[in-house]
Amino acid sequence: MSKFPKSVVIEVFRGGKQTDSNGKSRDWTENDIDKIVAGYEKIGEKVPATISKIGHPKDNLPALAWFSEFARKGKSLFAKMDD
């Protein structure tokens, strides 16, 4: 029996004003987060959760888990991670 749950839901992004690594600021709204959720739902399959030391992860990194669902609650984006 594993000590870890089969799936977990975590907050992966919080809306509001965000500043990227180039110093560019943007205010992320609930509507923006809804578009992210809708974009994922279009894919219709699990996507890998990977970690990269710098910038966005590459497509060929090992998956630490799989995102199976995204949802907005308030101004936050939550993801369900499996395995």
Side-chain angles (χ1 to χ4, degrees):
M1 184 171 148
S2 174
K3 294 179 182 179
F4 300 101
K6 277 291 221 185
S7 63
V8 64
V9 175
I10 63 168
E11 181 182 28
V12 294
F13 183 78
R14 188 168 296 159
K17 187 174 182 177
Q18 302 287 338
T19 304
D20 68 20
S21 59
N22 294 320
K24 184 178 176 183
S25 294
R26 177 179 173 183
D27 188 30
W28 292 83
T29 66
E30 291 177 2
N31 187 47
D32 294 324
I33 297 169
D34 287 339
K35 288 178 184 178
I36 294 168
V37 172
Y40 173 76
E41 289 172 352
K42 274 184 160 179
I43 294 170
E45 59 187 52
K46 292 181 180 184
V47 294
T50 61
I51 296 177
S52 176
K53 291 182 182 177
I54 300 172
H56 289 282
K58 293 181 172 54
D59 292 340
N60 61 352
L61 292 175
L64 303 174
W66 293 86
F67 291 112
S68 62
E69 191 176 324
F70 287 87
R72 179 184 58 79
K73 293 180 184 173
K75 288 190 173 187
S76 293
L77 176 66
F78 286 83
K80 180 180 178 188
M81 297 173 77
D82 298 324
D83 299 326

